[in-house]
Amino acid sequence: MPQRPYDEALLRQSFAVATRARDGGDHPFGSVLADKDGKVLREQGNGYTSEGNDRTAHAEKLLASWAARHLSLDELQDCTLYTSAEPCAMCSGAIYWAGIGRVVFGQTERDLKAQTGAHEENPTLDLPCHVVFEAGQRPTEIVGPLLADEAAQLQADFWKAHG
């Protein structure tokens, strides 16, 4: 899982997006899509509340859908999606179907599940994204967990307060 010089900075940018989502009343998740040179193409926070209590409006899924509509498969293969938490099975599928070639994440899905518990708004799966990506026919490079402690801080106390 080779890192690029700008991976940590762009991952922290996804953390800032997650913080803005949290401050705006949404769940504390954020994603950033960057091109092969690390130029940010788009940011996306979680959309649970802003999309009308849509439990499927995860930041990664919303960003992957935007990317699939606006960029070619050739462009997307060279893009990286930076995300505060490991993509769930749904989001991993969306990333794969969009054609995004690389994912960098902070907190693992397993750690997130331990932190959120059995919360009805976030019934976290313990299914690593590599399982979904490895079942596909095109490669998806994965870097993570990276800056996991910082990523976990985004979730600190959020789910208890929203219980």
Side-chain angles (χ1 to χ4, degrees):
M1 60 183 204
Q3 280 187 244
R4 296 177 182 169
Y6 46 80
D7 279 348
E8 289 187 9
L10 290 177
L11 185 58
R12 284 190 173 110
Q13 188 168 337
S14 80
F15 297 172
V17 174
T19 299
R20 288 196 303 273
R22 179 180 181 157
D23 292 348
D26 254 309
H27 296 163
F29 299 98
S31 295
V32 170
L33 185 68
D35 70 11
K36 63 182 179 184
D37 299 316
K39 177 186 171 208
V40 173
L41 303 173
R42 189 167 180 95
E43 297 180 339
Q44 179 66 57
N46 184 276
Y48 174 78
T49 301
S50 58
E51 297 287 328
N53 292 334
D54 180 355
R55 290 179 300 281
T56 70
H58 295 187
E60 302 93 331
K61 185 183 84 85
L62 295 171
L63 190 53
S65 293
W66 176 88
R69 290 189 310 271
H70 292 91
L71 300 168
S72 72
L73 278 173
D74 285 342
E75 291 170 306
L76 286 168
Q77 185 56 44
D78 291 331
C79 285
T80 301
L81 189 145
Y82 295 87
T83 189
S84 56
E86 182 175 9
C88 71
M90 174 185 68
C91 292
S92 296
I95 291 164
Y96 171 78
W97 281 103
I100 298 167
R102 187 169 181 263
V103 172
V104 176
F105 69 86
Q107 185 178 27
T108 66
E109 192 74 342
R110 174 168 284 169
D111 288 345
L112 178 64
K113 183 178 180 184
Q115 200 170 13
T116 63
H119 197 285
E120 69 179 26
E121 291 180 9
N122 195 38
T124 305
L125 298 165
D126 184 0
L127 181 65
C129 65
H130 75 84
V131 173
V132 176
F133 294 137
E134 288 169 1
Q137 297 182 55
R138 65 176 154 240
T140 305
E141 182 182 340
I142 304 163
V143 176
L146 185 63
L147 307 174
D149 291 340
E150 288 179 45
Q153 279 302 116
L154 298 167
Q155 308 296 327
D157 301 323
F158 180 85
W159 299 104
K160 292 175 194 160
H162 287 79

